[in-house]
Amino acid sequence: MTRDRYGFLLLLHAEWTKFRTVRGWVTGTVAAALLVVLFAVLAGIGGGDGGPDVPVGPDGGPVTDSFYLVHRPLTGDGSVTAAVSAPRSSLPRGLADLRPGRVPWSKAGLIIKAGTRQGSPYAAIMLTGGHGVRMQDGYTRDTAGPAGAAPRWLRLDRSGEEVTGLASADGTHWTRVGTVRVRGLGTTVLGGPFVASPPAVRGMGTSGSVSTAVFEDLHAEGGWADGKWKGEQVGPRSPTFSGYPRNVAGSVAEEGGRLTVTGAGDIAPAVRASLPTGGTLGEILTGAFAALVAVVVIGTQFITSEYRGSLIHLTLAAAPRRGRVLAAKAIVLWTVTFAAGLVGAAVAVPVGGRLARASGVYVFPVAFATELRVVAGIAALLATASVLALAVGAVLRHGAGAVSAVVVGIVLPYVLVAIPFMPAGVSNWAARVTPAAAFAVQQTLVPYDQVASVYTPYEGYYPLPPWAGLGVLAGYAAAALAVAAVLLHRRDA
Amino acid sequence: MSPTGIVVAGLRKRYGAAPALDGMSFSVRPGVVTGFVGPNGAGKSTTMRVILGLDAVEAGAALVDGRPYRSLRRPLNRVGSLLDAAAPHPGRSGRDHLLWLAHAQGLASRRVDQVIEQVGLAPAARRRGGAYSLGMRQRLGIAAALLGDPPILMLDEPFNGMDPDGIIWMRAFLRSLAAQGRAVLVSSHLMSEVQDVADHLVVAGRGRALADAAVDDLVAAVSEGRVTLRTTAAPHATAVLVRAGASVVAGGRDTVTVSGLPADRIAALLGAGAVPFSEVSAHRATLEDVYLELTREAVEYRAATSTEVRR
């Protein structure tokens, strides 16, 4: 058994020697790595317009923090209560025509926030257009409250850094929705009613909306400053705020103790559709696609060239156990391509990111572990695709045919995934069941349930988790290798 | 004592409906050069691929040292082979081509340089394979076959594409390999290429061995009962002998080959008929005759072969 294993090491050595002694394959692999870097540099110096700063939340992620706030200062502890009507939303139809419409995540409620600076900490309880009562804080956290019909009574209690949200159907019997600790709130905060109305998803895009809600029986207890409630648009000019529809603006009107508040925008994490100018690691690594074509060609040639010159006879005469020859080729090819891809991506990601930021592009921030996953994942994608190409080459035994087959098998679905205007159903299907699913390894954006948006592969959101997507490609490669091994065994060489 | 050499027994194989091998059987012994001759399509290359475990057969077995090739460990140390058109990758140098092969067998790269010297390829060893002439590729193929210093060598059409110097070198080289005690099987579709080098001959036709014998025995068998007659009056002589029941075939200038009558009876008949003749002797067939005699019926496409023979 040990002698057997030694024999396999010899085969690995032989296949490595084969690979490194064909200059075209070595330079092609190096070129693939360089392509990854080159595209990253081009993407980096492509530059942006250097617009206003992207607001950033307490955890460093980009946020949308633009909404209509009606506020008074609160020093120390206190609470605010109101009966809130469900927000009524309007969407633009045509150029200047607003029509009533559904915006499920329109928000009307009460908020306590450190200040009007975008990205400052807050906690809020609200009635939504389609998701009932919610308590939210820190931009990304969202807790569901009791279901039921509007109008609802809402209350927010502040005690130090702790904020408790309560909801009631009658103003007497209260249900606690949640208590959150809001770090960095400070002693004096702003608080009061607010209305937000995020863009609504329409087909393959989003369009701005505006919502209005009525607040009754508004009263504040505790350390609130005296004076009138003051209406103000938070974050009126922000890259994550698409503004109001034409001829509408945020407003508050008081009439007999009833406040009618109109607002647009959102208090939420920024997603791709709300920050379309933001860059992602996936865009920095566009060169991976060009590299893919290169490694696919090398992968097929690694075996089909042996058939073209009947070198395969000598290979199999030297190693009659054919499955092992295929395994040795696959291991050598995978390792070499992985190494090249790893170097390319490991250089491209920091260089491209730095260049992009230097030229004024906002790049969606990524945890170091995620960055490592993307770099290693892209390398594994290239390596696994090359092994798939090798297997198809072993089945078809013809270079051009195998290259076409693999390019059609990976590139075509990738096109379905990566071009805009592709219906989400089609691109999500392609990103689930075709080898192009592997591009999920480069996803860095996070979709949020509480943010209605266009979550398609083109926008940087894949239907499968990163490693599962790579697993789909690996599955294709393993199946193709199995078929290749059976045929190699059965067919005359 | 374990059997040495190659034993091929009853190989049968079909490509679609056409039989490629139809009971091919022969053996290759150590210490001699065995010529494997036959027209194109006789099954020589297929047989060699079967011996190397590259092609499967429907019936029969090919054994190397008593074992199927596929069960050999480090097979190149047992059998060295050169198959038709063995070509390195056009982008790989001849030396690198041998290097991966050496690595596959656990051989040192020193051995690569030795065989390169042995086949006289040293000046071109670092050139890309794509730039090699057919003759250089044949030398490279021989080097690959010798790499494991194997006791058995199997070379398919090694003379193809070689210039006259190369052919002379190759013949001497094959003889020296056999003299070292190796079993050497050399295929060719041209009798002339192997006639000075083979001790033993396997003549293939229509997928089977038409003959498997020592060269001397084959020549004797074909010569049996034939008489060479040298005469300036061939038509007259032919008429006389045919009338006496002999069959006569025209030979070279002024000679005919007669069979069916002993030499002394021929001389008497010609003397009685006053036909002039200068010589009556036992016929000595050439290997070419043997080949033609054995393959006459086996040649499937006579016209095709005759052009190939002139290639």
Side-chain angles (χ1 to χ4, degrees):
Chain A
M1 196 62 213
T2 44
R3 270 189 72 187
D4 247 34
R5 229 175 280 142
Y6 180 58
F8 186 66
L9 287 181
L10 294 182
L11 269 188
L12 285 177
H13 190 187
E15 291 300 333
W16 162 239
T17 306
K18 271 188 197 171
F19 189 94
R20 71 173 172 78
T21 53
V22 173
R23 194 180 300 162
W25 296 344
V26 175
T27 52
T29 305
V30 171
L34 288 178
L35 277 174
V36 175
V37 176
L38 179 70
F39 274 71
V41 169
L42 292 177
I45 59 180
D49 45 15
D53 284 352
V54 172
V56 171
D59 61 0
V63 298
T64 302
D65 196 10
S66 298
F67 60 98
Y68 200 82
L69 171 65
V70 182
H71 61 82
R72 273 161 66 183
L74 166 64
T75 304
D77 298 345
S79 72
V80 57
T81 312
V84 184
S85 74
R88 280 180 292 103
S89 305
S90 300
L91 293 162
R93 292 273 190 279
L95 271 179
D97 193 12
L98 274 180
R99 296 273 178 78
R102 253 177 63 79
V103 180
W105 282 106
S106 61
K107 299 165 178 173
L110 303 169
I111 188 169
I112 283 175
K113 187 166 166 61
T116 53
R117 184 183 62 79
Q118 291 180 76
S120 60
Y122 74 95
I125 186 155
M126 68 209 72
L127 204 52
T128 59
H131 296 280
V133 173
R134 319 294 290 198
M135 177 152 185
Q136 297 184 347
D137 72 293
Y139 298 91
T140 56
R141 282 180 293 278
D142 172 51
T143 310
R152 301 290 300 229
W153 291 80
L154 300 176
R155 188 159 98 210
L156 220 45
D157 278 340
R158 187 233 172 152
S159 171
E161 285 197 331
E162 279 193 352
V163 179
T164 302
L166 301 103
S168 165
D170 53 14
T172 319
H173 304 93
W174 291 91
T175 309
R176 193 171 65 92
V177 179
T179 299
V180 296
R181 194 179 171 81
V182 184
R183 289 180 192 285
L185 207 47
T187 316
T188 299
V189 299
L190 295 179
F194 79 96
V195 171
S197 191
V201 176
R202 251 198 217 164
M204 276 166 273
T206 57
S207 67
S209 71
V210 64
S211 296
T212 300
V214 176
F215 296 76
E216 290 176 285
D217 292 319
L218 178 66
H219 62 270
E221 287 168 18
W224 295 89
D226 294 331
K228 271 182 67 87
W229 294 101
K230 184 183 165 222
E232 181 179 355
Q233 175 68 35
V234 175
R237 267 177 302 281
S238 165
T240 55
F241 179 41
S242 54
Y244 283 81
R246 278 164 81 107
N247 306 329
V248 194
S251 65
V252 55
E254 188 181 352
E255 193 191 337
R258 291 158 49 112
L259 289 180
T260 302
V261 181
T262 296
D266 204 359
I267 319 171
V271 295
R272 187 51 184 271
S274 48
L275 185 50
T277 54
T280 62
L281 288 195
E283 287 158 351
I284 288 169
L285 288 172
T286 312
F289 185 62
L292 179 74
V293 176
V295 301
V296 160
V297 170
I298 294 168
T300 49
Q301 290 202 341
F302 195 35
I303 181 107
T304 56
S305 69
E306 298 215 6
Y307 283 101
R308 197 171 51 228
S310 71
L311 183 62
I312 192 74
H313 289 155
L314 195 53
T315 297
L316 296 181
R321 296 170 74 172
R322 299 179 179 184
R324 293 172 142 223
V325 172
L326 194 63
K329 276 191 184 292
I331 289 171
V332 165
L333 186 65
W334 197 93
T335 310
V336 168
T337 314
F338 182 81
L342 197 65
V343 170
V347 172
V349 164
V351 167
R354 191 160 302 174
L355 286 173
R357 277 184 283 269
S359 61
V361 173
Y362 178 81
V363 179
F364 279 91
V366 168
F368 186 62
T370 308
E371 201 164 299
L372 285 185
R373 181 255 291 162
V374 171
V375 168
I378 282 293
L381 181 155
L382 293 175
T384 309
S386 74
V387 169
L388 171 62
L390 170 82
V392 173
V395 171
L396 298 184
R397 306 200 275 196
H398 184 264
V403 168
S404 319
V406 178
V407 165
V408 166
I410 298 181
V411 174
L412 212 63
Y414 179 77
V415 168
L416 292 183
V417 164
I419 60 169
F421 313 123
M422 186 59 65
V426 175
S427 59
N428 278 329
W429 169 84
R432 251 177 216 287
V433 304
T434 70
F439 281 95
V441 292
Q442 61 182 5
Q443 173 167 343
T444 56
L445 300 177
V446 183
Y448 292 94
D449 287 341
Q450 71 272 32
V451 182
S453 188
V454 184
Y455 293 125
T456 59
Y458 170 69
E459 297 283 353
Y461 299 92
Y462 291 82
L464 291 179
W467 296 116
L470 191 63
V472 172
L473 175 62
Y476 277 98
L481 270 181
V483 171
V486 168
L487 288 179
L488 190 62
H489 200 74
R490 267 200 208 150
R491 292 196 291 212
D492 287 345
Chain B
M1 199 187 92
S2 68
T4 54
I6 301 171
V7 175
V8 169
L11 300 185
R12 284 179 202 284
K13 181 177 182 64
R14 233 185 293 273
Y15 288 125
L21 295 178
D22 187 15
M24 179 71 76
S25 302
F26 63 87
S27 58
V28 181
R29 283 177 295 115
V32 293
V33 174
T34 301
F36 191 15
V37 294
N40 284 327
K44 303 187 300 292
S45 297
T46 306
T47 301
M48 288 183 156
R49 285 202 303 271
V50 169
I51 292 169
L52 291 175
L54 296 173
D55 283 14
V57 282
E58 289 142 32
L63 299 179
V64 173
D65 289 351
R67 297 168 62 188
Y69 185 90
R70 282 202 189 197
S71 73
L72 298 177
R73 231 182 256 283
R74 313 285 150 75
L76 300 195
N77 298 354
R78 302 300 310 156
V79 185
S81 59
L82 162 70
L83 290 190
D84 200 358
H89 186 283
R92 195 179 282 135
S93 77
R95 187 177 184 281
D96 288 337
H97 172 74
L98 296 171
L99 198 59
W100 74 254
L101 201 57
H103 289 157
Q105 305 293 301
L107 299 168
S109 49
R110 195 169 3 98
R111 180 67 191 144
V112 168
D113 297 318
Q114 282 173 3
V115 291
I116 286 173
E117 282 295 331
Q118 216 175 334
V119 301
L121 203 61
R126 286 175 194 276
R127 239 187 282 163
R128 291 178 346 112
Y132 279 21
S133 67
L134 185 53
M136 287 159 92
R137 295 217 306 266
Q138 295 287 26
R139 284 174 192 257
L140 181 63
I142 302 283
L146 292 172
L147 201 57
D149 196 17
I152 301 172
L153 283 154
M154 201 165 69
L155 312 174
D156 193 11
E157 302 276 2
F159 298 98
N160 252 4
M162 284 216 153
D163 54 24
D165 282 353
I167 291 173
I168 291 165
W169 169 81
M170 180 71 79
R171 284 187 181 140
F173 193 67
L174 294 176
R175 270 196 294 267
S176 75
L177 291 171
Q180 290 161 5
R182 299 177 214 261
V184 182
L185 179 66
V186 182
S187 82
S188 176
H189 65 282
L190 294 179
M191 193 68 222
S192 57
E193 286 176 344
V194 293
Q195 67 184 4
D196 294 338
V197 78
D199 312 288
H200 194 90
L201 213 56
V202 175
V203 182
R206 289 185 188 265
R208 77 185 81 139
L210 303 174
D212 174 11
V215 168
D216 292 344
D217 295 347
L218 277 175
V219 170
V222 171
S223 311
E224 188 98 5
R226 297 189 196 191
V227 171
T228 300
L229 169 65
R230 187 174 296 277
T231 172
T232 50
H236 191 185
T238 302
V240 168
L241 295 171
V242 167
R243 212 177 303 130
S247 62
V248 178
V249 178
R253 197 162 60 88
D254 293 349
T255 63
V256 293
T257 305
V258 187
S259 49
L261 287 174
D264 50 352
R265 180 98 178 87
I266 291 170
L269 279 168
L270 294 177
V275 181
F277 65 96
S278 57
E279 185 191 347
V280 177
S281 61
H283 177 75
R284 171 78 190 165
T286 63
L287 268 186
E288 207 80 54
D289 298 332
V290 173
Y291 178 73
L292 291 175
E293 174 82 15
L294 286 170
T295 59
R296 191 178 307 145
E297 275 147 38
V299 173
E300 284 155 274
Y301 307 104
R302 215 168 253 286
T305 352
S306 65
T307 56
E308 274 159 7
V309 165
R310 263 168 216 113
R311 182 167 66 184

